[in-house]
Amino acid sequence: MKKWLIPVGIIVALIAIIAFWSIGIKNTALQHSQAVNKEWGNVQTAYQRRNDLIGNLVNTVKGAADFEKGTLTAVIEARAKATSVTIDPSNVTPEQLAAFNQAQSGVSSSLSRLLVSVEQYPTLKANENFLKLQDELASTENQILTARTRFNEAVQVYNGYVLKIPNNWFLSKYKEKPYFEASTGADKPVEVKF
């Protein structure tokens, strides 16, 4: 009777080891997935800060100068469009990320036209509130860059973990996530026309 207990004990021990190993792989994948979600939240927070500052900047410009209405309208519309694109980081697709990036690049383009246009207004350039907002926008752009970089770093760790063998044998529901990429034409300087 004891002879069959040893092989059964070995089989049970192997099954337990494999089960705990599988659980460990899944828990780590979940941890990496949550890190990607957190970093995506940081990206959205940085963009939200920029959108909030743009509202203040527009109001400051409106109050201090008889400003070109078309440029101001373009900034307001780009901001509205950018805030309407939302992404669920747990099910993000490259197409969704591209749409988000395109909306945000519209804000950047309109904002650069606004800031160049302001150069024509010496009283506005000297306005302390405007200068502070300009500094805040520059700081926010740096925060956006940092948030994007950290998001891509989290995606790299996540993708590396879920795609490698043997982890991918146990993680069929965890799919590769796309990286945040620069919008088309971002490598060229922005051209501002009046």
Side-chain angles (χ1 to χ4, degrees), residues 37-93:
N37 293 349
K38 177 190 119 211
E39 293 304 336
W40 181 250
N42 290 342
V43 169
Q44 289 182 311
T45 299
Y47 279 122
Q48 183 62 50
R49 182 173 190 262
R50 178 173 72 174
N51 288 334
D52 293 345
L53 285 171
I54 287 172
N56 291 335
L57 180 64
V58 167
N59 288 333
T60 301
V61 170
K62 269 185 191 177
D66 181 16
F67 193 71
E68 181 185 338
K69 187 176 182 177
T71 303
L72 206 51
T73 303
V75 171
I76 293 167
E77 288 172 358
R79 176 182 175 227
K81 184 177 179 185
T83 57
S84 70
V85 178
T86 57
I87 292 180
D88 175 12
S90 60
N91 296 318
V92 67
T93 64

Side-chain angles (χ1 to χ4, degrees), residues 67 114-122 124-125 130 134 194:
F67 193 71
L114 172 70
L115 294 175
V116 169
S117 296
V118 163
E119 293 295 320
Q120 299 174 3
Y121 297 95
L124 184 58
K125 283 176 26 182
F130 179 76
Q134 231 178 350
F194 297 103

Side-chain angles (χ1 to χ4, degrees), residues 9 67 96 126 138 157 160 169 180 182:
F67 193 71
Q96 290 173 328
V157 171
W169 298 342
F180 202 108

Side-chain angles (χ1 to χ4, degrees), residues 8-27:
V8 169
I10 291 172
I11 292 172
V12 168
L14 284 174
I15 290 172
I17 289 170
I18 291 171
F20 284 118
W21 181 53
S22 169
I23 290 170
I25 287 173
K26 288 181 180 181
N27 284 340

Side-chain angles (χ1 to χ4, degrees), residues 64-186:
D66 181 16
F67 193 71
E68 181 185 338
K69 187 176 182 177
T71 303
L72 206 51
T73 303
V75 171
I76 293 167
E77 288 172 358
R79 176 182 175 227
K81 184 177 179 185
T83 57
S84 70
V85 178
T86 57
I87 292 180
D88 175 12
S90 60
N91 296 318
V92 67
T93 64
E95 294 79 20
Q96 290 173 328
L97 205 52
F100 181 83
N101 201 19
Q102 184 178 12
Q104 294 302 328
S105 67
V107 172
S108 296
S109 175
S110 297
L111 191 56
S112 65
R113 284 194 304 275
L114 172 70
L115 294 175
V116 169
S117 296
V118 163
E119 293 295 320
Q120 299 174 3
Y121 297 95
T123 58
L124 184 58
K125 283 176 26 182
N127 182 312
E128 192 175 312
N129 291 337
F130 179 76
L131 294 175
K132 185 174 186 311
L133 284 169
Q134 231 178 350
D135 287 343
E136 288 291 328
L137 281 170
S139 170
T140 299
E141 293 299 324
N142 287 334
Q143 288 178 3
I144 289 170
L145 173 64
T146 301
R148 285 176 173 175
T149 302
R150 288 182 180 157
F151 172 76
N152 281 346
E153 289 168 353
V155 168
Q156 178 187 14
V157 171
Y158 169 84
N159 286 346
Y161 187 80
V162 301
L163 295 175
K164 74 179 177 182
I165 295 176
N167 296 358
N168 63 354
W169 298 342
F170 300 99
L171 301 172
S172 60
K173 79 172 196 168
Y174 290 89
K175 304 297 180 204
E176 181 178 11
K177 295 189 182 202
Y179 288 95
F180 202 108
E181 297 178 0
S183 56
T184 307

